Structure formats: structure tokens, C-alpha cells
Amino acid sequence: MTGYASAQSGTPSGSTSAESAPQPSRRLGLEIRSVNSRFLDLSFRLPDELRSLEPTLRALVTQKIKRGKVEVRASLDHGDAGGLPELTPRLLQRLGSLQDTVQAWLPKAAPLTVADTLRLCANASPTQNDWSEIIPALTQQAIAAMLQSRQQEGERLAAMLHDRLGQLCTLTQQAVPLVPRLVEQQRQRFMDRWKEAMGLAEGSATPEAAQDRALSEATAFAIRIDVAEEVTRLQSHIDEIERLLRQGGEIGKRLDFLIQELHREANTLGSKSAALELTRVSVDMKVLIEQMREQVQNIE
């Protein structure tokens, strides 16, 4: 199922730097995106500073999410400093001394630019933040928001499935009276053909052997096109899907299996069809089932 959530947190307590200078505020942003997938496909996009926390993030996500292509993305942003390092007098004095030493030995060396100074200061006094205590709560917050988003989509999917199940029930009921009608029509057709073949005049009695043969053929035809079992199983699967939708929880894979069974019964119904009406019912059923299959694969 699709879903999106994000959460942010400020600089954790205990942040330090090499120069013990006041550090600019930093913000940790966490995003979780989920799109439809039959299985759980989890990926992470983390900055190097948070790479060691990937196992923690993975454990937290897999506890709550069982299906979908999920991407967890984290970013670290500086606040008012715009990502610029803190330029302390001690650092600048040290860079100036190093520059003088280099130029004393290499007179043609170019002097430091502002960009060089900023880059070297950033490398010389990195801000060390411990996000390990903040990540779990922040991740749980984002997961809870995403699950709420997915629940809203799940309610819409459930409404769609209930509608398709209602249409399937209607088609199933339409198929029930078709078979006895076809059997009676075929029985009469067999009787008429036997009378014609024997050249009997209208109103004369049909020989007992011919009549028995015609009835045997009609019976065999009735057995061949009987769909009572298929109709019963269709209704049973529909009732079970309705029960699972009311129950809720992690039902996606069970629904996926039941949809396969519905498709199997609809196919059998079509293969036994001896009339255009029954073929139409089977085709309409398979269209509805295919629509359900596409959505069921998105349910966790």
C-alpha cells in the first residue's frame, strides 16, 4: 500500500566539537515512503553520519510494516548557519600559520581562498552528534503517521472490495437458474432428434429403448455442465473474504490466495458453459476478480 510520512528533530543534547565552540543547531529529517509491492522491499538512503544506525532503523520498520516497497530517507540539515562551519579564531590562526609554513617552502603556492578556508575548517572541527537516542522515537513517530495514511487507503480499498464482492454474488445468483434451464432444453433437443432419426410420425409413441438412450444422453450432458460445486465454492470464498475484511489485520496474503481460488472457479464455470448467458457471467466474474487481484496485492 502507498503511504508517506516525515518527522524532524533538532540537535541532540551532548553535541560537542573539537574547538568547544557554540555549535549551530542541526535538524534530523526522516522520511518514509511506501508503494505497492507483494513483498517487503526495504531500502535506506542515509548520510554517512547515520549509516551505523541502519540496523536499528531496519528493525523498527520491519516490526510494523510487512508488505510494500519501503524507502527510508534521512537527512541532516544545519539551521541558521546554513551548513557553514563555525570559524573560531583558533582555527583561523592555525590555518594562517600553516599557510605561512607552506609558502615559506613553496613560494609559488596559491594563498587560501574563502572556500578553501571554509572547507578546511569544516574538516578540522566536525560537529559530533549522537543521534542514537533520537532515531528510535523519531522513526516510530514517522511509522505511526505512515500507518495512519495507509489505513485510510485501506478503508478505501475495503469499500471497493465489498462492492466487487457484491457484484460477484449477483453474478453467482444469475448462474444458478441457468443450468437447470439448459438441461431441460438439451433433454428436449435429444428427444426431438431421436424422434426425427427414427422417422416417427408426430403423436406416435417413442420406443422405450430410444427414449432411454435420449434420457441417458441428457443426464450425461447435465453432469458435464453442472456448476453447483463451482457456485458453492465461489460463495464460500466470497464469504471468507468478507469475514477477513471485517476482521482486519495482516490479511493481504490470505486475500491473495482466495482471489486465486475465485479466479480458478470462474475459469471452471466458463469451461463448463453451454450457453452464451453462462459464458457472459463467467467473463464478467473474471473481470471483477482481476480488478480485486490488483488491489489485494497492495493490502498488508
Side-chain angles (χ1 to χ4, degrees), residues 69-87:
K69 185 175 182 180
V70 181
E71 179 185 83
V72 179
R73 183 188 300 242
S75 61
L76 290 171
D77 298 324
H78 291 269
D80 298 336
L84 297 178
E86 186 72 17
L87 301 180

Side-chain angles (χ1 to χ4, degrees), residues 174-193:
Q174 291 177 7
V176 170
L178 292 176
V179 174
R181 191 185 314 160
L182 289 171
V183 172
E184 178 59 28
Q185 291 175 356
Q186 191 67 13
R187 188 189 69 82
Q188 188 60 46
R189 188 177 298 117
F190 282 139
M191 296 294 293
D192 293 342
R193 286 180 179 176

Side-chain angles (χ1 to χ4, degrees), residues 91 95 112 115-125:
L91 271 176
L95 287 176
L112 291 172
D116 296 333
T117 303
L118 292 175
R119 185 179 68 256
L120 291 172
C121 287
N123 294 332
S125 58

Side-chain angles (χ1 to χ4, degrees), residues 270-290:
S271 66
K272 289 186 174 183
S273 174
L276 183 60
E277 294 88 346
L278 199 56
T279 301
R280 179 190 59 79
V281 168
S282 173
V283 171
D284 290 345
M285 280 184 173
K286 286 190 281 188
V287 170
L288 292 172
I289 293 169
E290 188 60 33

Side-chain angles (χ1 to χ4, degrees), residues 24 73 92 101 146-147 157 162 189 191 212 219 236 275:
R73 183 188 300 242
L92 294 175
T101 302
M146 194 189 72
L147 290 178
L157 290 178
H162 281 302
R189 188 177 298 117
M191 296 294 293
D212 290 343
T219 301
S236 174

Side-chain angles (χ1 to χ4, degrees), residues 111-287:
L112 291 172
T113 64
V114 174
D116 296 333
T117 303
L118 292 175
R119 185 179 68 256
L120 291 172
C121 287
N123 294 332
S125 58
T127 301
Q128 302 296 329
N129 297 126
D130 182 11
W131 300 98
S132 59
E133 295 183 0
I134 289 181
I135 277 287
L138 195 66
T139 305
Q140 291 172 354
Q141 177 185 343
I143 291 174
M146 194 189 72
L147 290 178
Q148 183 177 2
S149 171
R150 294 177 72 173
Q151 181 179 0
Q152 294 174 353
E153 183 188 1
E155 292 172 354
R156 293 191 293 269
L157 290 178
M160 185 279 291
L161 291 175
H162 281 302
D163 176 69
R164 300 300 188 274
L165 290 172
Q167 296 182 50
L168 276 177
C169 285
T170 301
L171 290 171
T172 302
Q173 295 305 316
Q174 291 177 7
V176 170
L178 292 176
V179 174
R181 191 185 314 160
L182 289 171
V183 172
E184 178 59 28
Q185 291 175 356
Q186 191 67 13
R187 188 189 69 82
Q188 188 60 46
R189 188 177 298 117
F190 282 139
M191 296 294 293
D192 293 342
R193 286 180 179 176
W194 277 104
K195 290 180 181 180
E196 181 180 353
M198 297 182 64
L200 298 176
E202 186 174 343
S204 62
T206 304
E208 184 177 347
Q211 186 175 10
D212 290 343
R213 180 64 182 275
L215 292 176
S216 297
E217 293 288 344
T219 301
F221 174 78
I223 294 173
R224 189 167 61 252
I225 71 168
D226 181 46
V227 293
E229 291 185 16
E230 286 74 16
V231 169
T232 300
R233 285 194 291 264
L234 277 168
Q235 190 60 56
S236 174
H237 296 328
I238 291 171
D239 292 342
E240 179 63 11
I241 293 174
E242 291 276 9
R243 187 190 68 81
L244 289 175
L245 291 176
R246 290 192 300 268
Q247 170 186 309
E250 297 177 11
I251 60 174
K253 292 184 179 179
R254 296 182 66 183
L255 288 178
D256 199 9
F257 171 76
L258 288 170
I259 291 299
Q260 293 179 21
E261 294 302 305
L262 281 177
H263 197 272
R264 190 196 313 275
E265 302 303 335
N267 269 335
T268 306
L269 194 71
S271 66
K272 289 186 174 183
S273 174
L276 183 60
E277 294 88 346
L278 199 56
T279 301
R280 179 190 59 79
V281 168
S282 173
V283 171
D284 290 345
M285 280 184 173
K286 286 190 281 188
V287 170

